[in-house]
Amino acid sequence: MSDGYCGKMLRVDLTSGRIWEQALAEDLLRRYIGGSGLAARFLYDETTPQTDPLGPDNLLIFMAGPLVGTRVPASNRFAVCARSPLTGLWGESDCGGRWGGELKKAGYDGIVVSGQAAHPVYLWVEDGRAELRDARHLWGLDTYELDLGAEVVCIGPAGERLVRYAAIMSGGKDGRAAGRCGLGAVMGAKRLKAIAVKGTGRVRAHDEEGLTHSLRELLPQIKERTAGLHQYGTAGGLAIYERLGNLPLKNWRQGSWPQAEAISGVRMAETILTDTYACGGCPIGCGRVVEVREGPYAGVKGAGPEYETCAAMGSLCLIDDLSAIAKLNELCNRYGLDTISAGGVIAFAMEARERGLLDEGPEWGDAQGAIELLHKIARREGELGWLLGEGVRRAAEKLGGRALDFAMHVKGLELPMHDPRAYFSVAVGYATSNRGACHLQAFSHLFERVLTMPELGYPEVLPRDQAEGKGEMVAKLQNLMALFDSLKLCKFVLFGGVTLAPILTWFNCVTGWDLDQDEFLRIGERIFNLKRLFNVRLGVSRKDDWLPLRLLVHRRGEGGTPDALPPLGRMLADYYAYRGWDEEGIPTPEKLAELELVPPGTARP
């Protein structure tokens, strides 16, 4: 077995209580690496279109990668994958903290959970041993209250109540979240409260000297170039995004909002910030630690909101009270809720109230009303709490009429906080992301603003309002980000000036392999296409690769991009052509043969 890997994963059948180890063949690792790439292979092979996302046959997969537990910076991460109860499609989420590294030290590259326990349980894993333990006394605890004396991933009450955008949380008050796609609800349906891991092992790199040499050159540069990210967190650029027209406002229908300064990372540093937080082995430390000491939200203490949360709970809902946003963030962390989807749902509810489709709920800017609504959603209280716990798409379908016009989602997943009218590549990225609307599966808007990647043919930043070449760029970057998500490497190292070449060097040094750049990128392309095949088998095609009309036909009207509208149809056609997919968005037999993948519609390879 190659260095960087434990060479085995843990299988757990909650229905029977059986636990066993499964060896990982090197050929499989060479084709899918780890993380979400390897998880995609197992999910494709062991589920079918009839698999119920909340049923016992769905797999819930926790997967580390070869870089996790090594000295590679910002690599202490893990993926969580399953069929999503929110979208019904490929579900994938990513999390930092320290749990991934602890899993590797305990002797496993991943954990695959199937079945459904008869009563709440948690899984204890320690140095190559694992057992299921009774968790009935833990059921109902929030994620800050749960303490098992180990590194833990767990769900809160929202996951227990099967809120369709429930998160899986890690790190207690550090508030690390595998938030997207509702995988906390999958964990809740399986009655699995937590997985606790402890390990004393060591993850070896094949070429420690070569790795040391590369890191000695790059670590000072990473720290220097990410100093602002450390000082102000991801929300440091929030006010700048507002001026550029990228910050979503009032459920994506407003063009400018001067109050953005009041909820930025800069304001946070001036007021409620008390410390910073870094995931294991990270030289950046973008995490926020906050404390609210006065006012109606006094007592909030722990993980602070990052950009996506400040935007989703703030500007999207026109809430300009940073302390209230910190409270909303804490509640999401405690209950175990995705802050992006939760903010999107609250904004949807505010607009539905404004338009007379709901007779209760908060109005625009009503922070206390948003907090009260969040409690109802997480607890599934009342008709409104139940309705909104289903997510924007299902809620809009239930309300009907005009609600469908302002249900902001792609494939059922609420939008992250970047506007395709400000960065045209984001339109293609949202439309084609395998998990639904996602800025991270291409990360392309940064290459229209500050980042370059000479190895992919982008030595300079591309104009953000240019359509030409964006389809190809998004496809290339999706392949690259599929590698990040399989290596389990944080994408923020890109801000430190890290490009493809050093990442490949780190990978080869850790594993002892000798991949070249083309081989490396081909693996990323294979992984992305396999996830697409998972969705194609479920009926996804071009009809689903679209955006809410508000982003395609409604101009922002003011601010940084008052008149821009992304020409998605043209960019999508270019994207399909570059990908080797047909005009309906289905990978062609020739492309599948090239990537050595199964044909669409095949239940088993």
Side-chain angles (χ1 to χ4, degrees):
M1 177 55 58
S2 298
D3 291 318
Y5 292 101
C6 301
K8 60 184 178 180
M9 62 184 191
L10 203 61
R11 300 289 303 241
V12 181
D13 180 358
L14 294 172
T15 302
S16 66
R18 181 181 174 224
I19 301 174
W20 70 103
E21 292 180 353
Q22 179 175 343
L24 292 169
E26 183 159 322
D27 177 67
L28 185 67
L29 298 175
R30 283 182 175 270
R31 292 169 60 81
Y32 300 103
I33 295 181
S36 66
L38 190 56
R41 184 72 268 172
F42 282 99
L43 273 166
Y44 190 95
D45 292 350
E46 299 187 31
T47 63
T48 73
Q50 289 72 47
T51 298
D52 181 353
L54 294 176
D57 293 338
N58 197 10
L59 300 184
L60 182 63
I61 301 178
F62 298 80
M63 199 69 72
L67 302 187
V68 178
T70 72
R71 293 184 295 115
V72 172
S75 63
N76 202 321
R77 307 189 66 79
F78 62 95
V80 188
C81 303
R83 186 174 179 186
S84 166
L86 183 63
T87 68
L89 304 173
W90 168 257
E92 171 182 351
S93 200
D94 190 79
C95 190
R98 289 172 169 77
W99 188 87
E102 199 72 14
L103 179 66
K104 292 282 289 287
K105 289 194 295 182
Y108 298 104
D109 292 304
I111 301 174
V112 179
V113 182
S114 60
Q116 183 183 62
H119 58 76
V121 297
Y122 73 94
L123 178 67
W124 179 270
V125 181
E126 183 175 4
D127 282 334
R129 302 183 305 276
E131 63 178 297
L132 289 169
R133 297 179 177 178
D134 196 315
R136 279 174 283 197
H137 63 295
L138 304 175
W139 206 250
L141 293 182
D142 73 39
T143 67
Y144 284 12
E145 295 170 325
L146 189 68
D147 183 2
L148 296 175
E151 289 295 331
V152 169
V153 292
C154 66
I155 56 172
E160 296 170 5
R161 290 167 172 80
L162 309 187
V163 175
R164 289 187 186 267
Y165 43 96
I168 296 173
M169 304 299 298
S170 184
K173 288 188 177 182
D174 291 332
R176 303 297 93 183
R180 307 249 66 195
C181 299
L183 304 186
V186 177
M187 198 164 169
K190 293 184 177 301
R191 301 191 182 100
L192 179 63
K193 178 65 176 180
I195 302 176
V197 296
K198 290 182 74 173
T200 58
R202 177 175 176 267
V203 182
R204 292 195 316 159
H206 180 83
D207 182 2
E208 289 282 3
E209 184 177 344
L211 183 59
T212 297
H213 177 74
S214 177
L215 295 179
R216 185 182 297 124
E217 290 185 346
L218 281 170
L219 274 175
Q221 172 186 302
I222 294 172
K223 290 180 180 179
E224 178 183 356
R225 295 190 182 185
T226 59
L229 190 56
H230 173 77
Q231 185 176 8
Y232 297 120
T234 59
L238 186 144
I240 296 172
Y241 271 159
E242 189 276 333
R243 292 193 290 273
L244 289 170
N246 184 50
L247 184 69
L249 310 170
K250 200 176 184 181
N251 202 26
W252 304 85
R253 57 188 259 223
Q254 187 167 307
S256 67
W257 194 56
Q259 295 95 316
E261 295 278 359
I263 63 170
S264 71
V266 176
R267 183 62 58 86
M268 194 185 309
E270 296 170 344
T271 55
I272 61 174
L273 186 73
T274 60
D275 202 353
T276 60
Y277 171 86
C279 300
C282 178
I284 301 171
C286 68
R288 308 290 90 186
V289 181
V290 301
E291 182 177 2
V292 179
R293 297 187 174 95
E294 57 186 16
Y297 309 110
V300 172
K301 189 175 183 179
E306 36 71 64
Y307 169 79
E308 298 293 331
T309 306
C310 286
M313 297 296 185
S315 62
L316 197 67
C317 302
L318 299 187
I319 294 173
D320 61 3
D321 184 337
L322 187 57
S323 294
I325 294 169
K327 178 64 176 180
L328 286 160
N329 181 68
E330 180 185 84
L331 288 174
C332 284
N333 289 347
R334 285 181 176 274
Y335 281 125
L337 282 171
D338 174 22
T339 59
I340 297 176
S341 284
V345 166
I346 292 171
F348 169 82
M350 288 175 168
E351 184 159 352
R353 174 74 184 273
E354 176 189 13
R355 296 183 182 276
L357 297 176
L358 289 176
D359 57 10
E360 60 176 318
E363 298 179 345
W364 297 112
D366 179 4
Q368 188 56 41
I371 289 170
E372 292 169 3
L373 180 58
L374 194 64
H375 283 300
K376 291 180 180 179
I377 292 170
R379 296 168 181 165
R380 291 281 204 170
E381 287 182 351
E383 186 176 345
L384 184 61
W386 183 266
L387 173 72
L388 296 178
E390 293 290 282
V392 159
R393 179 174 66 181
R394 287 178 175 82
E397 290 170 350
K398 179 72 172 178
L399 293 176
R402 293 292 304 279
L404 298 172
D405 293 338
F406 56 87
M408 305 300 287
H409 69 87
V410 175
K411 299 182 177 74
L413 185 64
E414 290 77 15
L415 303 176
M417 302 295 111
H418 303 273
D419 199 321
R421 293 168 291 189
Y423 295 99
F424 280 6
S425 73
V426 173
V428 188
Y430 282 2
T432 60
S433 164
N434 286 307
R435 69 176 181 179
C438 177
H439 63 298
L440 292 172
Q441 291 205 344
F443 214 42
S444 61
H445 65 287
L446 275 310
F447 291 84
E448 296 173 295
R449 184 169 173 239
V450 293
L451 297 182
T452 60
M453 185 64 67
E455 299 99 321
L456 297 184
Y458 303 107
E460 297 179 352
V461 171
L462 271 65
R464 59 191 181 122
D465 59 352
Q466 169 187 307
E468 183 180 359
K470 292 296 175 63
E472 178 179 334
M473 183 184 83
V474 167
K476 287 181 175 179
L477 289 172
Q478 285 172 337
N479 295 342
L480 177 63
M481 297 308 153
L483 290 172
F484 271 82
D485 293 333
S486 300
L487 296 165
K488 301 322 306 162
L489 180 63
C490 179
K491 293 161 189 175
F492 286 177
V493 298
L494 293 168
F495 295 123
V498 175
T499 61
L500 178 59
I503 294 171
L504 179 55
T505 296
W506 296 342
F507 177 67
N508 283 331
C509 283
V510 168
T511 61
W513 300 353
D514 189 26
L515 296 184
D516 62 28
Q517 179 177 301
D518 290 341
E519 292 172 311
F520 199 41
L521 290 171
R522 181 56 54 88
I523 296 172
E525 184 182 9
R526 178 183 298 122
I527 290 167
F528 191 88
N529 275 266
L530 179 58
K531 294 174 185 178
R532 179 69 174 193
L533 286 182
F534 184 95
N535 285 343
V536 167
R537 193 169 66 176
L538 294 166
V540 165
S541 64
R542 185 171 190 147
K543 71 182 186 306
D544 305 287
D545 294 344
W546 208 241
L547 299 183
L549 286 180
R550 182 167 284 182
L551 301 179
L552 296 176
V553 302
H554 292 265
R555 296 177 174 86
R556 285 178 68 111
E558 57 183 343
T561 52
D563 299 313
L565 293 173
L568 178 57
R570 176 156 54 99
M571 293 189 293
L572 200 56
D574 293 343
Y575 173 90
Y576 289 160
Y578 180 79
R579 276 263 178 233
W581 298 357
D582 66 23
E583 292 184 354
E584 299 305 315
I586 311 299
T588 63
E590 294 78 12
K591 174 54 67 174
L592 295 180
E594 177 189 322
L595 296 173
E596 300 176 285
L597 284 170
V598 300
T602 304
R604 293 289 187 268

